[in-house]
Amino acid sequence: MKFVHRFAYYLIGLIMGCFFVALVFSGKDTRCNYFPNARVLNNLRTKPFKYSDKAIQTLNEKWVDTADIKNTLTYGDVDFDQSNVPFNKGKLYVIEGKTVKNQEIILKVTNYENEAVLEEIIKKAVEK
């Protein structure tokens, strides 16, 4: 069998395989969260999210918005040196992120079994 014929059979099989894989995964909400940072952020985003009184007070100051909180919970970095600490029958996570205005913020979120609570929003000091 010539190389061209073998290559054609290979391409036909590859295309059919890609079609079936796309068919199987198209209807599912699949995520590949292999790294600890992605797993923690996904866990916090999928639970009902609540705000503490201190966080609401900071949000009322208008320098940070709930969109900034959502962006930080999507693209932020979990500081594992300060995180995963028992706190009020849950675990405290410290997440670093940025606002839309490029101001660095730190979120302290308590992860309970059934919900996540934003405890505190801290404006990170600018280093010189």
Coordinates of all heavy atoms in Angstrom, one line a residue, residues 3 20 25 30 32 95 105-106 109-110 115 118 120:
F3 N 2.2 5.1 0.5 CA 2.2 6.1 1.6 C 0.9 7.0 1.5 O 0.3 7.3 2.6 CB 3.5 6.9 1.6 CG 3.5 7.9 2.7 CD1 3.6 7.6 4.0 CD2 3.2 9.3 2.3 CE1 3.6 8.6 5.0 CE2 3.2 10.2 3.3 CZ 3.4 9.9 4.7
F20 N -16.1 12.2 17.2 CA -16.7 11.5 18.4 C -16.3 12.1 19.7 O -17.1 12.2 20.6 CB -16.4 10.0 18.3 CG -17.2 9.3 17.3 CD1 -16.5 8.7 16.2 CD2 -18.6 9.2 17.4 CE1 -17.3 8.0 15.3 CE2 -19.3 8.5 16.4 CZ -18.6 7.9 15.4
F25 N -17.9 15.5 24.5 CA -17.7 16.5 25.4 C -18.4 17.8 25.2 O -18.4 18.7 25.9 CB -16.2 16.9 25.4 CG -15.4 15.8 26.1 CD1 -14.4 15.1 25.4 CD2 -15.5 15.5 27.5 CE1 -13.7 14.1 26.0 CE2 -14.8 14.6 28.1 CZ -13.8 13.8 27.4
T30 N -17.3 20.4 31.2 CA -16.1 19.8 31.7 C -15.0 20.9 32.0 O -14.9 21.8 31.2 CB -15.5 18.8 30.7 OG1 -15.4 19.4 29.5 CG2 -16.5 17.6 30.6
C32 N -10.8 21.2 33.3 CA -9.6 20.4 33.6 C -8.8 21.3 34.7 O -7.9 22.0 34.3 CB -8.7 20.2 32.4 SG -9.6 19.2 31.2
I95 N -6.3 35.4 48.5 CA -6.3 35.4 47.1 C -5.8 36.8 46.6 O -6.4 37.8 47.0 CB -7.6 35.0 46.5 CG1 -8.1 33.7 47.0 CG2 -7.5 35.0 44.9 CD1 -9.5 33.4 46.7
I105 N -5.3 43.9 44.9 CA -6.2 43.7 46.0 C -5.9 42.3 46.6 O -5.4 41.4 45.9 CB -7.7 43.8 45.7 CG1 -8.1 42.9 44.6 CG2 -8.0 45.3 45.4 CD1 -9.6 42.8 44.4
I106 N -6.2 42.1 47.8 CA -6.1 40.8 48.5 C -7.5 40.5 49.1 O -8.1 41.3 49.8 CB -5.1 40.8 49.6 CG1 -3.7 41.2 49.0 CG2 -5.0 39.5 50.4 CD1 -2.6 41.4 50.1
V109 N -11.1 34.9 51.9 CA -12.3 34.1 51.7 C -12.3 32.9 52.6 O -11.3 32.2 52.6 CB -12.5 33.7 50.3 CG1 -13.8 33.0 50.1 CG2 -12.4 34.9 49.3
T110 N -13.4 32.7 53.4 CA -13.5 31.5 54.2 C -14.4 30.5 53.4 O -15.5 30.8 52.9 CB -14.3 31.8 55.5 OG1 -13.5 32.9 56.2 CG2 -14.3 30.6 56.4
E115 N -20.8 26.8 51.5 CA -20.8 28.2 51.0 C -19.4 28.8 51.2 O -18.5 28.2 51.9 CB -21.8 29.1 51.8 CG -21.4 29.3 53.3 CD -22.4 30.2 54.0 OE1 -23.5 30.5 53.5 OE2 -22.2 30.5 55.2
L118 N -16.8 36.0 51.7 CA -15.7 37.0 51.6 C -15.6 37.7 52.9 O -16.5 38.5 53.3 CB -16.0 37.9 50.4 CG -15.0 39.0 50.2 CD1 -13.6 38.4 49.9 CD2 -15.4 39.9 49.1
E120 N -12.8 39.7 53.9 CA -12.1 41.0 53.9 C -11.5 41.3 52.6 O -11.1 40.4 51.9 CB -11.0 41.0 55.0 CG -10.3 42.3 55.3 CD -9.3 42.2 56.4 OE1 -9.1 41.1 56.9 OE2 -8.7 43.2 56.7

